[in-house]
């Protein structure tokens, strides 16, 4: 078999996998539109999408389910791509958006806003609510970025290695966790309940405005990562090899980390903490199609979107009418899957 034919087979497998994921994503989205407390048929969903639905069906589709589905697709793609890029940049298979302390920073920022500004409470029925979500989102976003900016400044000024950046991320996570625990200790019962409620990753929070903001950050970030795919392939071969091929490794690492962190920070600020997506999805895609970043980045985005959408659909329906926060489900599913991947990698 000649080399061009082998290469066509090599790319065909990866493109076929991507097409299969697209089909699964489309079918999962249709199913997610149909199921829930207010069950709909496919015909009702199609009528609502083309503007011929009844008032109740339009309300359910356009105001409740479609924003949730788009939030799952955007957040899943964003977290998965950010994880894939960080694992390459930091040369560590355990790297992910949360290894760098992003989620802990967001949690600290949200807790600080609830404690200092009183953005949390409870209704007479006992239901917890956050009464100024935009302010908490801003605080969470700033908290998520602070730790990353400190790490990137240290890397720039002191020339930290990728391994040292991972350790710096662990240190920042510990610092933010200690700060959050201190705030929770002095908070009253309602504030503490609001803090815990915020940490649950929930796709039901964002409305169309937040969806537009998340998409506006994700699309250019994804385009940039795909544009830099060859640089990431070179980095996978080692520092010296990448430099010999003309890659500015320090600049590629710093900009890649900053964009991946920004991508994650926006999603965590709007949705809360959704664990394991950025860690697990890139590894599963690598097992299926290999580590070529020309295909790994777009297919990781598709796989993350599919995984989070299916997980959220299960969370909405498994003990209906109660809707579980999707962050709880991804952690339950992610932990055993992560252990399996570790054992598989160790065996290899």
């Amino acid at each position: 078999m000649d080399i061009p034919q082998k290469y066509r087979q090599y790319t065909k497998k990866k493109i076929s996998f991507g097409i299969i994921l697209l089909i699964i994503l489309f079918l999962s989205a249709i199913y997610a539109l149909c199921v829930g407390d207010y069950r709909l048929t496919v015909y009702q969903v199609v009528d609502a999408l083309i503007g011929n639905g009844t008032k109740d069906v339009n309300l359910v589709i356009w105001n409740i389910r479609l924003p949730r589905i788009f939030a799952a697709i955007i957040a899943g793609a964003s977290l998965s791509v950010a994880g894939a890029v960080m694992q390459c940049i930091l040369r560590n298979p355990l790297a992910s958006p949360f290894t760098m302390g992003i989620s802990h920073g967001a949690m600290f920022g949200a807790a600080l806003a609830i404690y200092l500004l009183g953005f949390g409470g409870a209704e007479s029925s006992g239901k917890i609510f956050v009464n100024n979500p935009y302010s908490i989102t801003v605080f969470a976003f700033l908290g998520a970025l602070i730790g990353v900016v400190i790490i990137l400044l240290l890397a720039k000024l002191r020339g930290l290695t990728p391994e040292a950046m991972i350790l710096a991320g662990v240190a920042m996570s510990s610092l933010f966790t200690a700060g959050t625990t201190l705030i929770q200790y002095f908070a009253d019962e309602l504030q503490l309940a609001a803090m815990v409620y915020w940490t649950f990753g929930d796709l039901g929070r964002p409305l169309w405005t937040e969806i537009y903001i998340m998409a506006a950050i994700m699309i250019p970030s994804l385009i940039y990562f795909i544009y830099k795919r060859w640089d990431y392939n070179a980095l996978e071969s080692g520092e010296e090899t990448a430099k010999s091929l003309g890659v500015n490794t320090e600049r590629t690492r710093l900009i890649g980390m900053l964009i991946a962190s920004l991508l994650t920070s926006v999603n965590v600020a709007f949705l809360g903490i959704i664990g394991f997506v950025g860690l697990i999805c890139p590894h599963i895609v690598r097992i299926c199609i290999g580590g070529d970043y020309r295909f790994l980045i777009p297919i990781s985005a598709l796989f993350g979107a599919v995984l989070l959408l299916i997980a959220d659909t299960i969370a909405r329906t498994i003990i209906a009418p109660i809707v579980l926060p999707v962050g709880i489900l991804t952690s339950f599913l992610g932990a055993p899957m992560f252990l399996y991947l570790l054992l598989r990698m160790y065996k290899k």
Side-chain angles (χ1 to χ4, degrees):
M1 193 183 296
D2 59 358
I3 292 175
Q5 194 173 350
K6 283 183 179 179
Y7 182 74
R8 281 193 294 272
Q9 283 192 352
Y10 172 81
T11 56
K12 185 178 178 182
K13 175 187 174 185
K14 294 165 173 50
I15 293 169
S16 300
F17 187 68
I19 292 170
I20 291 169
L21 284 177
L22 266 176
I23 294 169
I24 294 172
L25 182 62
F26 175 76
L27 295 176
S28 301
I30 295 296
Y31 181 73
L33 285 171
C34 294
V35 298
D37 287 344
Y38 192 87
R39 282 190 170 270
L40 301 171
T41 65
V42 176
Y43 299 109
Q44 286 177 304
V45 169
V46 172
D47 282 342
L49 292 177
I50 62 176
N52 295 330
T54 64
K55 183 180 178 181
D56 290 344
V57 172
N58 283 337
L59 179 68
V60 170
I61 292 292
W62 288 99
N63 290 7
I64 299 173
R65 292 186 186 167
L66 264 183
R68 194 178 188 105
I69 288 168
F70 276 108
I73 292 170
I74 294 169
S78 300
L79 294 173
S80 185
V81 169
V85 170
M86 285 184 176
Q87 286 161 15
C88 171
I89 288 172
L90 299 175
R91 303 294 306 282
N92 192 317
L94 299 182
S96 76
F98 304 102
T99 311
M100 303 306 295
I102 295 173
S103 62
H104 299 89
M107 185 168 62
F108 173 76
L112 192 65
I114 291 169
Y115 179 70
L116 293 180
L117 305 176
F119 292 149
E123 297 173 356
S124 57
S125 61
K127 182 182 178 182
I128 302 299
F129 66 89
V130 173
N131 55 5
N132 200 329
Y134 281 108
S135 298
I136 292 182
T137 297
V138 171
F139 271 77
F141 177 72
L142 293 174
L145 275 187
I146 283 172
V148 175
V149 169
I150 291 172
I151 293 167
L152 292 178
L153 283 174
L154 288 173
K156 182 68 176 175
L157 298 175
R158 296 294 180 183
L160 293 185
T161 63
E163 294 80 8
M165 288 174 73
I166 285 278
L167 294 175
V170 173
M172 293 306 298
S173 297
S174 299
L175 183 64
F176 282 131
T177 301
T180 304
T181 305
L182 184 66
I183 291 170
Q184 289 175 345
Y185 181 78
F186 287 105
D188 60 35
E189 292 87 348
L190 294 181
Q191 290 174 334
L192 183 60
M195 291 174 196
V196 174
Y197 166 76
W198 185 90
T199 60
F200 296 151
D202 185 7
L203 296 175
R205 294 177 195 170
L207 301 175
W208 285 112
T209 305
E210 291 83 24
I211 298 296
Y212 295 146
I213 295 171
M214 290 164 62
I217 299 294
M218 184 200 74
I219 292 170
S221 300
L222 190 57
I223 291 170
Y224 172 81
F225 289 141
I226 292 173
Y227 173 71
K228 301 291 283 184
R229 62 196 182 279
W230 288 108
D231 289 355
Y232 298 137
N233 276 341
L235 279 174
E236 282 286 291
S237 302
E239 187 88 9
E240 296 303 321
T241 304
K243 285 182 177 179
S244 69
L245 291 170
V247 178
N248 187 334
T249 55
E250 289 81 8
R251 182 183 174 85
T252 301
R253 280 203 171 95
L254 285 172
I255 295 176
M257 276 296 302
L258 185 62
I259 293 175
S261 302
L262 175 67
L263 197 57
T264 308
S265 301
V266 170
N267 284 276
V268 171
F270 281 128
L271 305 176
I273 297 170
I274 299 174
F276 281 102
V277 175
L279 186 62
I280 293 297
C281 291
H283 284 301
I284 295 175
V285 173
R286 279 191 188 92
I287 290 171
C288 295
I289 65 163
D292 188 341
Y293 273 79
R294 293 177 300 160
F295 302 100
L296 183 66
I297 290 173
I299 292 178
S300 289
L302 281 174
F303 192 87
V306 169
L307 180 71
L308 196 56
L309 179 57
I310 291 174
D312 183 59
T313 305
I314 294 171
R316 287 195 297 117
T317 56
I318 191 168
I319 53 171
I322 298 172
V323 178
L324 285 176
V326 73
I328 295 173
L329 196 64
T330 55
S331 296
F332 266 119
L333 295 174
M337 196 179 295
F338 181 57
L339 291 174
Y340 167 74
L341 290 173
L342 277 178
L343 293 172
R344 183 186 175 106
M345 289 164 63
Y346 180 74
K347 189 176 180 182
K348 282 186 177 181

